[in-house]
Amino acid sequence: LLYPQLMWQVWKLGRVDAVVSMTDPPLQVAAVTLASGRAAKRIHWAQDIYPELAEELGVIGRGGLFARVLRNVSTWALRKQDEVVAVGRCMRERLIARGVDARSIVIIPNWSPIAEPSEESAAGMRRRMGWGDEFVALYSGNLGLAHDFNTLAEVSKILRGSRVRMVFAGEGPRLQEAKAANAGSDNVSFIPPQPKEDLAAFLAAADAHLVTVRENLGGLVVPSKIYGILAAGRPVVCVGPAGSEVARIVDESGAGMTVKNGDAAAVAAFLKDLSSNPVAAVAVGEKARVAAKEFTFAKALEKWREILEA
């Protein structure tokens, strides 16, 4: 029932300057496209790509009739857009492969939801968390289907007996699975997600951050947590496909290390090196802080203004 209601709401708008559709739910772009005949401009803002994402996650059968219908309808709707906004270069490449005209695709990355935190607030948060002198590698955010927790579970096993503690802060459909995979590891902690007002200090309280994307999802999703991590000014370990947007950002900025899925030994070695060399860790974190200046709300807003006013 959602799509007819959505089409009716768009139709009631009458003549408008622009209609912006989003990816979720999967056929929203098609519903909005059908109902936006009186819009001067149609724009689709792609945060992920369906039905490929649903296929890779096993939600629907790969290459089945339902997937083919979804893909054909979605591709038709995407081709009808005046502009398609992708949140990363890897996603742009996926859209082009789908058959979307490259000239219609604009890349506007997401941005950090936090301001640059002070070291005083970070130190206070660290005391509040009780992390002491441990080297904290933090995974903060949704424990969802798109992320690789198997590699991180192997990392925790390798790091037993070291001063590196892995902390998972968040909720999601794979929380219990992640807990089970790390059962018996005394160097792993699970805590609830932190309030938004504390997020800046919380991210900066960690010594390093973990971002993961499953190997087969490059270009289908772009974890937006990377932007807040960069703003916190801490080293990043990206576990995922080399061509993903997060991996490119980390490699290009020098803000940390990118590792292919399954290479737990490389992740553990990097974290151990950082834990024993605080000067190097600070230097890498500073590169992250510099990179964050490219991913601000003001810059994204300016790009959106250019599209809407063109």
Side-chain angles (χ1 to χ4, degrees):
L1 297 177
L2 175 63
Y3 298 109
Q5 293 174 1
L6 178 62
M7 292 172 67
W8 174 239
Q9 292 298 322
V10 175
W11 180 258
K12 287 196 302 181
L13 291 174
R15 181 69 181 175
V16 296
D17 294 320
V19 170
V20 180
S21 60
M22 297 284 286
T23 307
D24 296 324
L27 280 178
Q28 187 186 65
V29 59
V32 173
T33 300
L34 287 168
S36 60
R38 290 172 292 175
K41 178 175 285 191
R42 295 172 177 175
I43 304 170
H44 179 64
W45 191 0
Q47 294 285 337
D48 36 38
I49 299 179
Y50 283 95
E52 287 85 345
L53 181 58
E55 288 178 292
E56 296 295 343
L57 294 177
V59 176
I60 61 175
R62 188 193 306 272
L65 176 61
F66 186 51
R68 293 200 304 271
V69 170
L70 283 177
R71 193 167 4 261
N72 289 338
V73 173
S74 175
T75 300
W76 168 83
L78 287 169
R79 288 172 174 171
K80 290 288 184 180
Q81 308 305 303
D82 297 293
E83 305 275 2
V84 177
V85 176
V87 294
R89 290 161 287 182
C90 54
M91 187 171 288
R92 180 179 186 273
E93 293 159 4
R94 286 271 195 172
L95 289 166
I96 293 172
R98 171 76 80 80
V100 180
D101 189 342
R103 294 170 296 180
S104 71
I105 304 173
V106 179
I107 299 175
I108 304 181
N110 288 324
W111 53 88
S112 170
I114 64 172
E116 184 176 322
S118 68
E119 291 301 324
E120 292 78 9
S121 65
M125 178 61 70
R126 190 176 179 91
R127 288 192 295 271
R128 176 177 156 188
M129 292 291 113
W131 288 338
D133 294 330
E134 296 173 304
F135 184 93
V136 175
L138 176 64
Y139 179 96
S140 176
N142 181 45
L143 283 84
L145 301 178
H147 307 292
D148 177 0
F149 297 109
N150 295 330
T151 301
L152 297 187
E154 291 303 313
V155 172
S156 71
K157 294 175 183 177
I158 296 172
L159 290 174
R160 288 176 183 172
S162 73
R163 61 180 293 261
V164 179
R165 169 166 293 277
M166 296 174 61
V167 177
F168 294 83
E171 298 174 340
R174 297 185 66 195
L175 174 59
Q176 295 307 316
E177 178 186 339
K179 285 184 175 181
N182 287 280
S185 295
D186 59 2
N187 58 336
V188 179
S189 302
F190 289 85
I191 62 177
Q194 299 302 299
K196 186 176 181 179
E197 59 270 21
D198 294 337
L199 186 58
F202 178 67
L203 294 179
D207 297 291
H209 284 267
L210 306 167
V211 180
T212 70
V213 180
R214 282 171 50 174
E215 184 177 10
N216 54 345
L217 300 186
L220 300 181
V221 294
V222 176
S224 58
K225 71 178 69 179
I226 181 62
Y227 307 111
I229 292 170
L230 294 176
R234 297 295 184 265
V236 187
V237 179
C238 171
V239 179
S244 68
E245 187 64 22
V246 174
R248 293 182 185 186
I249 291 171
V250 172
D251 282 340
E252 292 165 0
S253 65
M257 182 182 190
T258 60
V259 178
K260 65 181 181 180
N261 299 86
D263 195 352
V267 177
F270 183 65
L271 293 175
K272 280 186 176 179
D273 287 345
L274 290 178
S275 69
S276 62
N277 192 341
V279 174
V282 169
V284 175
E286 186 57 35
K287 291 181 180 179
R289 184 176 286 109
V290 171
K293 300 183 186 305
E294 296 300 315
F295 305 102
T296 65
F297 177 68
K299 290 195 173 187
L301 187 62
E302 183 57 35
K303 290 182 178 180
W304 272 102
R305 182 178 291 112
E306 291 173 4
I307 291 175
L308 292 169
E309 293 180 351

